[in-house]
Structure formats: structure tokens, C-alpha cells
Amino acid sequence: MRVKRYVVDSMPDALQKIRTDLGKDAVILNTKEIRTGGFLGMFGKKKIEVIAAIDAANAKPAPAPQRVATQMPPQPKVNSQVAPIKPSFQSDFPDVPDVLAPVAMKSEPVAVSAVPQPERVMNPAGHQAYSPSSVHSAARAPVKDDQVMDELKQMKEMMKKLTQVTDGDKLPEPLQKLEQRLYDHEVNPTLVRQIMDEVMADFQLADEPVTEETAHQLVRSKLGEILQTDHSKHISTQTRVVHFVGPTGVGKTTTIAKLAAEQVLKYHRKVGFITSDTYRIAAIEQLKTYATILNVPLEVVFSPQDLTKAFQNLAECDIIFMDTAGRNFRNEMYVSELNSLLKTQGNSETILVLSLTTKYRDLRAITNNFSKFKLDKVLFTKMDETDSYGAILNVVHEFSLKLSYVTTGQSVPDDIAEMNEWQIIDLLLEEPRT
């Protein structure tokens, strides 16, 4: 292995010198800009430092010894020792200092051989012949050559890895399809990448090929780990009060009516209504209509102070559904008022109601704002009005909320059911509809 360092003004100059000295099979190992001359590191001239190398097996004799012979003065004794030398090994790399060489040493060093020399002779052109001590160091060159070869192999492996970074990031085609489907459902890209990395790690650990069937199974399993829990989605029989919170227009009142019908008709529990939604026109009338149909009592509270009396009036009810006003969740006054309304005695649940038609950026802000309350579950509405379900995965993963119900229409009491996470996962991974 021959390694040489060049300091040139431009890359064409470097290429010309490398071809001349090392041949066309030489490889450039490194290039960088440096400055030469100047004063205290300033006003230096820009140069290019080039490190090149060639395998010793492919190296051709460099013409440097002949140039030295022509530059030597007419001293037959010296020429007879220098000119016939046939270089067997040349390595300038170990002698290259970390800083620039003095200007006087711009000439390239002469290749050395294992032929003994009586003494080191400096010719007029600035080239030097090597003494027996330098020849002795050349005898140790094979050891250094092995080290250089090992380092060069490591460097090549590193460069190979760097050049394959882009290709390495590409997933197998079955996983690419599933990844794209998750993106189409607006699943958080960070979460998508995390899932794909885990799936690829599982494939590599099992040392199995990636097929469409196995890829689908593994991704489905990873999504199931995020959504599936062992808790009950329906309202517990031990729960006394259920608070429904959320932004405007998500369908809280209609959802309350659906759940109340389920409790009355299916579980035969006595239900009571409390509403604090006195801001929206006809909001009380809407809930009063549902209360009349289901034959359940209704209490209206205008301030947190009215809550005590309302609970006393509904003391005989098995469960109380409390409808809160849908207000701007960025309004701090509303948030403070709502917080005081949620302070109740006994077992209670707080369910956040979100619409799947809301873009996730807003859903994230809404959930983050309401998370200052003790949110127990999340309920999604208007599933029938969208074909994008990634928000469900995003909210559950980011805020660690439990799934409860999902609504699929406005019909009371039919269009509501417990969330089936595997159905959601299948919708996320199914082929897009044309």
C-alpha cells in the first residue's frame, strides 16, 4: 500500500500528480481545504490537501527516481547509487505532519528501497537519499502496511455504509404499502416510523423474509398493543356520576341521550340528567325532550353553587349523566368554571367527547387542554362522516386515554357502540377504496 499526500491549488493539479506518481488505479482517500503561509493563522493562501493511495500489488514504478537522477549534479559515484534504485515500497503518509510543511520542503520525497546506502546525501534539488537507519525503518514497513490495509478496509466499510444509508431506510415493499396506508389515515409520522422499525427488528430477529401476510400480521399486532387494553369500555356499574366534556359541535347532548337509553333499556338503571349548557340556544330544550322520552328527571345548573341542590334532587337515581357546555376550550374562564363543575362526591367518570371529522392538530390541542382534568376515557363521534381513522390511534397513544364508545349516526338510541379496536385497525390497514 502506497499512500501520498499532496498540497495543490486545484483538484485538476492533484489528479495530474496522482496519475503521474501513482498511476490510474490510485484511489483518493480524503480531500480538505487548508491554508498555507500567512501570519498567526491569518492571511493564508487557500490550498487543497489530497490524500491518495494505491495497492502495492498494482503499483507501477514511479518516475521519481529518474527525475532525481536527472536533477543530480554530474557526480558518478552518487548517481550510481541513486539512479539504479528500483523502489519496492514507498509510504509518505507516516511522515506527513499535522501542520503544513515548510515552504522549502514543497518537493516530493524520493521513493526508498531496501538497498543499503552509506549515508544520507542531500542533492542540490532538495531531495534526500536515505541512510541505513531509514532503510531499517522501511524493513518494518510490512507491519505498518498491514495496519494501513486494515484501516483502509474499515474506511471502505464505513463509506459503504454511508452510501447505503438511503437504501437502508427503504422498507420492503409489503411494509411500504402498510406504511403508506397509515400515512393516508393521518397517523402521526413519528408513530408510524416507530411501528415500522419495531416490525423490521422483529423480522431481522426471526431471520424471516418479509411477505405481505407476515407484514400485515406484525403491523396489526403492533397497532393492537397500542389500542387494546383489558379495561371495560362501557360505564361501570359502580359509577355514580358521568361527566361529558368536549368542544362545541361534537354531539355531546345526543351522545348522552344514546347512553342514557342504553342504561334505562338494557341495564334497567334509574338515570338522571344534569345540564350546565345554558349558553347554547335550545340546548336545555333538546336534553329535556330526551328526558321526557326516557322518563328521566332533569336538573339545570347555572353555576357550581347549584350542583349541591341538583345532586340532592337526584339522590334516588342510580347514575347521573352531566352535560357540560361546549365552549371554546382556549377560554381560560370556561376551563376554570368547568373544573369546579367536575368536583363531585362518590365514584365518577369523565369522558372526553371528540369528533373524528376534526383535524388532528386541533384534536391534539383540545385533548391537551382538557387533560388537566381527570380524563378517564375518550369517546369518538361522527365516525360515519369520515374515512380517516388515524386520530383514534394518535390520541390514545399520545395521551394514554382509554377507549369507550363510538357513534356512527344521529339515531337515538341505535347509532352508538363500544369501540372495537380490531375493527379500527382493519380499517387502518385495508386496501384503499377506488
Side-chain angles (χ1 to χ4, degrees), residues 162-319:
L162 291 175
T163 55
Q164 292 179 347
V165 166
T166 304
D167 294 336
D169 286 343
K170 292 182 179 178
L171 295 169
E173 185 175 353
L175 286 179
Q176 287 185 25
K177 293 180 180 179
L178 296 175
E179 181 185 43
Q180 187 57 48
R181 290 173 195 171
L182 293 178
Y183 285 143
D184 292 341
H185 282 278
E186 301 180 5
V187 178
N188 190 330
T190 303
L191 178 58
V192 174
R193 194 62 201 176
Q194 176 185 333
I195 294 171
M196 293 302 158
D197 289 343
E198 292 178 1
V199 170
M200 281 301 300
D202 289 346
F203 274 116
Q204 292 173 0
L205 187 63
D207 195 19
E208 295 181 358
V210 181
T211 64
E212 289 192 5
E213 182 180 359
T214 56
H216 188 278
Q217 290 177 352
L218 269 179
V219 174
R220 191 173 188 268
S221 175
K222 296 296 180 182
L223 295 176
E225 292 175 5
I226 297 174
L227 293 179
Q228 190 178 25
T229 57
D230 55 357
H231 77 280
S232 176
K233 299 182 180 67
H234 61 77
I235 299 171
S236 172
T237 56
Q238 305 298 323
T239 299
R240 167 73 171 144
V241 181
V242 183
H243 306 103
F244 293 86
V245 299
T248 60
V250 296
K252 289 191 298 298
T253 304
T254 305
T255 300
I256 289 173
K258 294 175 182 178
L259 291 176
E262 178 189 47
Q263 293 294 318
V264 171
L265 302 177
K266 184 176 181 180
Y267 298 105
H268 308 289
R269 301 180 71 186
K270 190 173 182 180
V271 178
F273 286 158
I274 295 179
T275 179
S276 63
D277 190 0
T278 58
Y279 302 93
R280 187 165 56 94
I281 298 176
I284 297 176
E285 295 300 323
Q286 180 184 9
L287 192 59
K288 185 179 292 186
T289 302
Y290 291 132
T292 302
I293 295 173
L294 296 172
N295 193 26
V296 299
L298 170 66
E299 294 290 329
V300 180
V301 296
F302 294 90
S303 66
Q305 290 74 21
D306 298 333
L307 272 177
T308 303
K309 183 179 179 181
F311 283 125
Q312 290 176 355
N313 294 336
L314 300 176
E316 295 182 359
C317 294
D318 298 322
I319 187 170

